[in-house]
Amino acid sequence: MNASRMVKAAMATAFLALSSGMALAENPMVGGAEMFPEKNIVENAVNSKDHTTLVAAVQAAGLAETLSGAGPFTVFAPTNEAFAKLPAGTVENLLKPENKETLAKILTCHVVGKEVMSDALGGMIKDDGGKHPVPTLGGCTLTASYEGDKILLTDEMGNVATVTQADVKQSNGVIHVIDTVMLPKM
């Protein structure tokens, strides 16, 4: 191979490496892990170091297969820190097999049966005069509102979560990371 061809080949290789790196950089990071829009909610969530408690809870509640399904879903995904705000022993108790139904109820109160991006939710909040009801698959109704430029969710118990990272696209919906666990009236 002559020098000119070697230079062209090297430049093409460098271009491909740079362009593939740029494409990867476009995917959002959640919990230190890249989120791939072609993967489903569960496939992405298992890689987030900030969502290990959520993933364990989804598995314990038997919801992994559902959230791997076609959807579309919107998941308000509480972080490990959100679960840590619950009273001591709550998570461990909920993960027990005898509490599977209660755990599933709590988790499905974080799931909407359609894809709702933050701009659409923001429009609904505005159209409804500052507060928009968000019915979940768990039968709970969250109330979405704004504080400044942050979307807030209030559960039926009065707990308020802030969406800390919005619009993490998945193959079967979208994840919005939240800082508080939403609880249903029990």
Side-chain angles (χ1 to χ4, degrees):
M1 181 183 270
N2 69 29
S4 174
R5 283 190 180 162
M6 285 177 36
V7 168
K8 286 180 184 177
M11 288 175 66
T13 301
F15 174 77
L16 287 173
L18 285 174
S19 62
S20 67
M22 288 189 306
L24 291 176
E26 292 176 11
N27 294 331
M29 301 292 283
V30 175
E34 190 169 4
M35 299 288 113
F36 297 95
E38 65 275 4
K39 290 186 176 184
N40 68 46
I41 290 165
V42 174
E43 290 171 330
N44 273 320
V46 298
N47 295 315
S48 169
K49 67 177 175 52
D50 291 344
H51 291 90
T52 57
T53 304
L54 177 61
V55 169
V58 164
Q59 291 168 340
L63 296 172
E65 186 175 334
T66 300
L67 293 175
S68 295
F73 302 107
T74 295
V75 175
F76 296 105
T79 61
N80 295 341
E81 287 181 9
F83 280 100
K85 290 181 188 178
L86 295 171
T90 301
V91 173
E92 294 78 10
N93 192 43
L94 286 170
L95 292 175
K96 292 178 181 175
E98 62 268 25
N99 295 322
K100 183 177 181 178
E101 188 176 312
T102 301
L103 180 60
K105 171 82 171 165
I106 291 169
L107 293 175
T108 55
C109 282
H110 291 81
V111 182
V112 177
K114 55 185 160 185
E115 183 180 286
V116 183
M117 301 302 281
S118 64
D119 59 347
L121 183 55
M124 290 181 260
I125 294 168
K126 182 180 176 191
D127 290 347
D128 285 347
K131 292 183 187 262
H132 178 73
V134 179
T136 67
L137 294 180
C140 310
T141 300
L142 305 176
T143 302
S145 61
Y146 268 112
E147 185 175 283
D149 63 347
K150 295 282 187 182
I151 293 176
L152 304 179
L153 298 169
T154 304
D155 68 17
E156 297 173 338
M157 302 298 291
N159 299 305
V160 179
T162 300
V163 175
T164 58
Q165 186 172 1
D167 301 333
V168 183
K169 201 69 181 103
Q170 314 290 301
S171 67
N172 60 345
V174 62
I175 290 175
H176 302 293
V177 178
I178 60 174
D179 64 357
T180 302
V181 175
M182 300 281 87
L183 298 172
K185 278 189 179 175
M186 296 273 209

